[in-house]
Amino acid sequence: MTFTSARAGHTARTGHTEQAGQESDIRRHELAGFLRSRRERITPEQVGLDRGSRRRTPGLRREEVAQLSAVGVTWYTWLEQARAIQVSAQVLDALARALLLDPSERAHLFALAGAPDPAPGTPCPTITPAIRRMLRRLEPFPACVQNSRYDILAYNRTYGVMMCDLDALPPQDLNCLWLAFTNKDFRAALGNREETTRIMAAKFRSAMAEHLSEPPWKTLLGRLRAASPEFREIWERHEVVTPVGDRTKRFVNAEVGQLNLEHTNLWLGPSAGPRLVTYVPVDDETRIRLEKLQASAEASALVPADY
């Protein structure tokens, strides 16, 4: 009786192990197919790459996805071959950004990989309701929350239309450094664009020294190098600049004209973490123009989406 029960238990455990192995194998193949399908639908131009004259692969090549994700080509190839390799949440995040996945596709990617999504479309924990209320109360003064990578985590209506229409951008493009080198409206709004972009790139290099192995930083760097010859040229200078205090900046808004603003950083945590960025007018004319800009943004928000 004891022998029979032990054998039955062993058989059950074996069956459970085989079932788990089969499920894992199916999951890996589904993941491989999903990655391949997403890679093949993206054109090189969408991610700032040159198509070239001898391209036969539909969409991106494997090595291009690896480059944009800051992972090894062999490792990514194994992933598309459904090999039994471990994939971290950080790498999945980088792949999701490189493949321009929307929120539903991103959730599917993490589900297939069996990994928890560190940012599954939920509000950033740094952006509390109190901070959002603060951003609204600062209007008409433009204000936003950024991290040291220049990601725009939250913003009020005035900031959202000061340089370009932030609400119209995909989430992966809500980054001041990316916009400063690739978005024509954002670039046109910078009063001293050449100096500003050089300083931003230098600050990014300085901040990245503490994040060299982190996929989000490497992904952003890869996108910028691929999309902007100007950024590549500046990056090769190896200039570094530490964050400085308040300074006056000049912007040119397409609707209300020149804005002269005093820029202030208020750190919300450690100096390498998120910060509240505010812009206060330095003259009466700028204040009046900001009020007009806020009124215009509020009026636009009241217009139905299908108007």
Side-chain angles (χ1 to χ4, degrees):
M1 183 67 176
T2 301
F3 174 75
T4 303
S5 299
R7 185 169 60 184
H10 173 74
T11 301
R13 288 192 298 273
T14 302
H16 177 75
T17 301
E18 290 177 352
Q19 181 179 357
Q22 292 173 354
E23 180 179 343
S24 177
D25 186 60
I26 293 173
R27 190 184 295 274
R28 287 198 307 273
H29 280 84
E30 285 290 326
L31 175 61
F34 180 67
L35 288 173
R36 188 162 51 249
S37 70
R38 300 303 90 176
R39 171 173 61 82
E40 291 175 350
R41 72 170 184 176
I42 299 176
T43 64
E45 293 81 0
Q46 285 180 279
V47 291
L49 298 177
D50 182 20
R51 172 172 292 276
S53 59
R54 303 179 61 182
R55 180 178 294 269
R56 298 179 180 178
T57 304
L60 297 178
R61 301 185 179 99
R62 286 174 174 170
E63 56 266 28
E64 291 170 335
V65 175
Q67 173 193 343
L68 293 170
S69 307
V71 300
V73 177
T74 300
W75 185 92
Y76 179 77
T77 300
W78 286 352
L79 199 58
E80 279 202 8
Q81 292 174 344
R83 297 202 187 187
I85 57 177
Q86 295 296 320
V87 190
S88 69
Q90 290 77 16
V91 168
L92 290 170
D93 176 74
L95 288 173
R97 292 173 183 269
L99 295 172
L100 307 180
L101 301 187
D102 64 27
S104 297
E105 292 168 332
R106 179 187 174 97
H108 186 63
L109 173 70
F110 277 84
L112 290 177
D117 187 347
T122 57
C124 174
T126 299
I127 310 303
T128 64
I131 289 177
R132 293 189 183 279
R133 288 195 297 270
M134 183 187 303
L135 289 171
R136 289 194 296 268
R137 291 301 296 268
L138 285 170
E139 293 176 339
F141 297 170
C144 71
V145 177
Q146 297 179 20
N147 59 20
S148 57
R149 198 170 55 242
Y150 284 107
D151 292 331
I152 305 171
L153 307 179
Y155 53 89
N156 61 17
R157 286 170 294 191
T158 317
Y159 184 88
V161 295
M162 183 171 70
M163 289 170 283
C164 67
D165 185 2
L166 294 182
D167 288 344
L169 299 176
Q172 64 268 20
D173 288 353
L174 286 175
N175 178 280
C176 287
L177 193 62
W178 173 258
L179 296 174
F181 282 97
T182 66
N183 184 284
K184 63 180 181 61
D185 294 332
F186 195 98
R187 289 166 62 83
L190 297 175
N192 191 346
R193 183 177 57 80
E194 291 186 5
E195 179 187 3
T196 299
T197 53
R198 182 182 64 81
I199 292 175
M200 289 179 70
K203 287 183 177 179
F204 178 67
R205 178 182 283 281
S206 180
M208 191 173 178
E210 299 180 5
H211 307 275
L212 290 174
S213 62
E214 297 179 21
W217 289 77
K218 294 192 292 185
T219 298
L220 175 58
L221 177 59
R223 291 185 70 200
L224 284 164
R225 289 174 65 92
S228 172
E230 179 188 2
F231 175 83
R232 290 198 301 271
E233 191 276 327
I234 294 174
W235 190 253
E236 292 305 317
R237 301 177 191 174
H238 289 265
E239 295 178 337
V240 291
V241 177
T242 55
V244 296
D246 306 345
R247 59 177 298 199
T248 300
K249 292 190 175 182
R250 180 169 60 88
F251 299 96
V252 182
N253 180 267
E255 182 173 350
V256 300
Q258 182 171 316
L259 301 170
N260 302 311
L261 302 166
E262 186 176 358
H263 166 267
T264 305
N265 283 323
L266 301 174
W267 301 100
L268 302 179
S271 60
R275 63 188 184 273
L276 175 67
V277 183
T278 61
Y279 296 89
V280 178
V282 300
D283 52 60
D284 289 339
E285 184 61 32
T286 294
R287 178 184 55 80
I288 293 171
R289 290 176 178 178
L290 285 178
E291 291 172 352
K292 291 180 180 179
L293 190 59
Q294 179 196 9
S296 176
E298 291 176 346
S300 298
L302 296 176
V303 177
D306 57 351
Y307 179 74

